[in-house]
Amino acid sequence: MEQVLTGTKQGSIKQLLASTEYDREVTVRGWVRHRRGSKGVFFVHLNDGSTIQNIQVVVNEENTNENVLNQISVGACLQVNGNLVASQGAGQSSEVQATEVTILGPADPNGYPIQPKKHSMEFLRENAHLRMRTNTFSAVFRIRHAAAYAIHKYYNDRGFYYLHTPIITGSDAEGAGEMFQVTTLPLGNPPLDDQGAIDFKQDFFGQATNLSVSGQLQGELGAMGLGLIYTFGPTFRAENSNTTRHLAEFWMIEPEMAFYEQEDNHNLAEDFLKYLIRYVLEHCKDDLKFLDERFIKENNSKPTNERSDMGLIEKLEFVIANDFARVSYTEAINILLNSKPHKKKKFKFPVEWGIDMQSEHERYLVEKHFKKPVIVYDYPREIKAFYMKQNEGEEKGRETVRAMDILVPGIGEIIGGSQREDNLERLMQRMTEVGIPHEELDWYLDIRRFGSAPHSGFGLGFERFILFVTGMANIRDVIPFPRTPGNARF
Ligand code: 4AD
Ligand code: MG
């Protein structure tokens, strides 16, 4: 590892803990996680975020100013000069015998909310500005960083180009209408046109605009010139879903590949997911071990019928060791129709060909039936976006498109994608059917007009992936500052 320039001359706490160059003068800086004292000696656990491990600092009451001693409390930030020695205590490799302690920033013990005890996730969400100082959240965000890096590495190593697609757009890629508007028009008194509607011609961009719900449409333009591209950026959906799996602002990775057909798309998505899991298993061992223990504790406190039968690390290793199941939507519906919960009327929502599967259906397929990740493909045309490639020669009323969703245990949908409609006439016809004016997406149609080619892609919800690898239960706890209905604090 490179020498870290911030923190200490000798490197981070992570580096000091790994060092066996003892009996040398070092400086450490970090936040107090824990302190305990006995017989004139204080043991202070310092953490600087470089690792989940704390370094133990031994402070001798005799050679430390009383005022300083009093300010060594949980949450305070300290600089310690001292001697690096092999640790006497079990489980620690090295520790620091302090010669000089400086309080960089005290933390009033009566005011500092994050104490060394179990806090509820709700409480920590209300203190999102301080929750990075807990073991759980620092582990989650270190893993989030590692996964983001691995995503770039995966695509870069395979010849994909990172394409930056716009955040402000004039189109609704998913056609779901769940968009945040972007405007500089005065809200109380907007200019009106002849029909009395808001005149967006007078708006900043001369047209109505919104925050992007997906970079896919522009991603397709990229793939039709650069061949293989991916996007990785913030995505906005104004859906009023107060669930543990929805955010109003989330991050999505969207690869788009020229010349890929449906099955190539499935293969890439499965390989990509497994690579990311393997990367986290290899590079985030300490953090995963901590989260694994946490997961097992939480799991054991759940009612038996809701328990996962594997630990977190066990589940991740299982996922990379086994092929994903692959079934068509029609096969999936048949499995559901023949299932116990359907026959015993235990599903809240009805099951029949044509439904948009609810999460109870997806979770039955993944957790009860296949017991591993599942790729479901060839969905009914009516429930999917206009851009998906239509399958040919199907019975009327049973038309399908080359869509795919990847479902994983504990979460449900983690990836959505498809082969794209590359036939100009069929695409235009579908747009007419669902009411999208052709002139609005003229540029999108042009890539079918000029040099059209088969192409495919998918979107991975980054936070859903982080939920999966960390074993956290709520999507609000895997993004530093969650945006959900009614909540944009911090
Ligand atoms: O299935 P979706 O809507 O697909 C698309 O947006 C396509 N344009 C992707 C493509 O083909 N390029 O979204 C893709 C994924 C979902 O599977 C889910 O993991 C995540 O994005 N996602 C959300 N994550 C958090 N909060 C939300 N509100 C999400 N909506 C979708
Ligand atoms: Mg989807």
Side-chain angles (χ1 to χ4, degrees):
M1 197 200 260
E2 296 276 311
Q3 191 78 355
V4 179
L5 295 180
T6 56
T8 73
K9 277 201 295 272
Q10 292 78 12
S12 63
I13 288 178
K14 184 179 181 175
Q15 288 170 308
L16 285 183
L17 285 172
S19 169
T20 49
E21 257 180 74
Y22 296 129
D23 301 315
R24 61 181 167 122
E25 186 66 27
V26 295
T27 302
V28 274
R29 293 172 191 157
W31 292 270
V32 177
R33 282 295 179 79
H34 189 262
R35 85 167 240 180
R36 110 192 117 80
S38 70
K39 297 193 211 112
V41 177
F42 282 102
F43 299 97
V44 181
H45 289 176
L46 277 194
N47 190 288
D48 67 355
S50 58
T51 161
I52 196 157
Q53 314 295 342
N54 302 322
I55 197 160
Q56 174 157 285
V57 174
V58 185
V59 181
N60 208 315
E61 217 174 39
E62 268 175 24
N63 57 19
T64 315
N65 175 304
E66 194 183 326
N67 188 30
V68 169
L69 276 181
N70 288 338
Q71 292 187 79
I72 303 181
S73 63
V74 171
C77 189
L78 312 186
Q79 171 171 311
V80 178
N81 294 332
N83 204 12
L84 189 71
V85 297
S87 178
Q88 310 302 313
Q92 294 265 340
S93 44
S94 33
E95 63 182 33
V96 177
Q97 301 276 356
T99 50
E100 188 190 4
V101 178
T102 313
I103 308 289
L104 296 180
D108 177 2
N110 297 318
Y112 184 61
I114 313 289
Q115 292 299 321
K117 60 164 195 168
K118 192 171 159 61
H119 291 294
S120 74
M121 288 292 120
E122 289 77 14
F123 175 82
L124 292 170
R125 250 169 253 149
E126 284 160 19
N127 288 283
H129 55 307
L130 298 169
R131 67 180 179 172
M132 261 76 113
R133 297 186 191 182
T134 66
N135 284 336
T136 301
F137 286 93
S138 58
V140 166
F141 295 128
R142 276 188 295 267
I143 290 176
R144 187 178 163 109
H145 160 79
Y149 175 77
I151 286 162
H152 288 298
K153 180 163 169 52
Y154 179 84
Y155 287 114
N156 181 66
D157 289 354
R158 285 157 185 76
F160 284 65
Y161 301 110
Y162 180 25
L163 190 77
H164 295 96
T165 51
I167 287 173
I168 300 175
T169 77
S171 54
D172 177 5
E174 292 306 298
E178 291 156 336
M179 301 180 299
F180 289 101
Q181 291 187 6
V182 175
T183 180
T184 53
L185 293 178
L187 285 182
N189 180 27
L192 304 178
D193 64 16
D194 303 343
Q195 327 295 315
I198 294 178
D199 186 8
F200 285 105
K201 287 207 180 69
Q202 295 186 47
D203 203 351
F204 189 90
F205 295 106
Q207 64 171 97
T209 49
N210 53 274
L211 296 179
S212 177
V213 297
S214 160
Q216 178 198 320
L217 302 191
Q218 291 89 352
E220 285 185 52
L221 311 180
M224 289 292 116
L226 291 162
L228 304 171
I229 65 94
Y230 69 105
T231 72
F232 184 2
T235 309
F236 305 87
R237 300 214 178 156
E239 51 192 335
N240 201 358
S241 306
N242 252 310
T243 78
T244 54
R245 295 180 322 278
H246 287 87
L247 289 165
E249 176 179 294
F250 62 101
W251 288 65
M252 190 162 31
I253 301 98
E254 295 184 279
E256 191 70 34
M257 297 76 66
F259 316 120
Y260 271 49
E261 304 216 17
Q262 187 174 34
E263 210 182 319
D264 308 316
N265 205 30
H266 301 172
N267 293 342
L268 182 76
E270 178 169 345
D271 185 63
F272 174 49
L273 276 180
K274 287 179 170 170
Y275 175 93
L276 292 185
I277 294 170
R278 210 176 297 122
Y279 188 93
V280 171
L281 278 169
E282 276 169 24
H283 293 85
C284 306
K285 287 203 170 82
D286 286 359
D287 290 325
L288 263 189
K289 186 165 163 278
F290 173 83
L291 292 171
D292 189 47
E293 284 160 15
R294 181 182 182 279
F295 180 87
I296 291 168
K297 247 185 260 153
E298 301 271 308
N299 197 39
N300 288 340
S301 66
K302 284 186 188 165
T304 32
N305 62 335
E306 286 174 28
R307 274 184 212 170
S308 152
D309 49 11
M310 286 186 208
L312 175 63
I313 293 178
E314 199 185 352
K315 174 188 82 176
L316 298 176
E317 282 171 348
F318 176 84
V319 167
I320 55 176
N322 291 281
D323 289 342
F324 291 5
R326 300 186 184 197
V327 282
S328 70
Y329 169 90
T330 303
E331 289 167 314
I333 291 292
N334 286 337
I335 291 168
L336 292 173
L337 288 172
N338 286 317
S339 70
K340 253 199 212 141
H342 176 69
K343 290 185 172 157
K344 294 192 169 163
K345 301 202 178 351
K346 287 274 161 62
F347 285 136
K348 241 173 80 197
F349 295 91
V351 179
E352 60 178 333
W353 199 96
I355 59 160
D356 200 358
M357 279 190 261
Q358 299 292 322
S359 86
E360 57 177 353
H361 305 137
E362 297 179 338
R363 294 184 69 161
Y364 174 83
L365 288 173
V366 171
E367 288 158 28
K368 298 283 186 294
H369 188 83
F370 289 106
K371 298 191 191 319
K372 60 179 181 175
V374 186
I375 305 181
V376 183
Y377 57 89
D378 285 350
Y379 279 80
R381 188 179 66 186
E382 299 312 313
I383 60 171
K384 288 291 183 185
F386 71 96
Y387 52 69
M388 297 187 178
K389 185 161 183 68
Q390 301 171 44
N391 282 311
E392 290 181 35
E394 289 174 315
E395 193 186 320
K396 209 169 160 27
R398 285 250 172 171
E399 294 92 350
T400 61
V401 287
R402 294 196 180 169
M404 67 118 156
D405 276 2
I406 300 190
L407 317 175
V408 296
I411 300 196
E413 180 189 338
I414 194 168
I415 280 183
S418 71
Q419 185 170 344
R420 318 305 188 189
E421 184 56 81
D422 51 354
N423 177 290
L424 180 66
E425 272 68 47
R426 298 191 74 163
L427 181 60
M428 290 204 297
Q429 194 197 335
R430 190 65 197 147
M431 285 169 65
T432 307
E433 282 164 12
V434 299
I436 303 172
H438 297 182
E439 54 285 5
E440 230 172 63
L441 288 181
D442 208 30
W443 47 271
Y444 186 68
L445 292 170
D446 262 1
I447 58 171
R448 278 79 180 170
R449 278 192 192 103
F450 309 116
S452 190
H455 61 288
S456 303
F458 59 83
L460 169 66
F462 189 46
E463 286 75 19
R464 296 229 182 136
F465 175 76
I466 302 300
L467 269 183
F468 186 68
V469 281
T470 59
M472 297 294 284
N474 192 315
I475 200 161
R476 293 169 176 82
D477 299 330
V478 296
I479 185 164
F481 304 105
R483 267 59 182 133
T484 51
N487 179 21
R489 208 179 147 213
F490 308 113

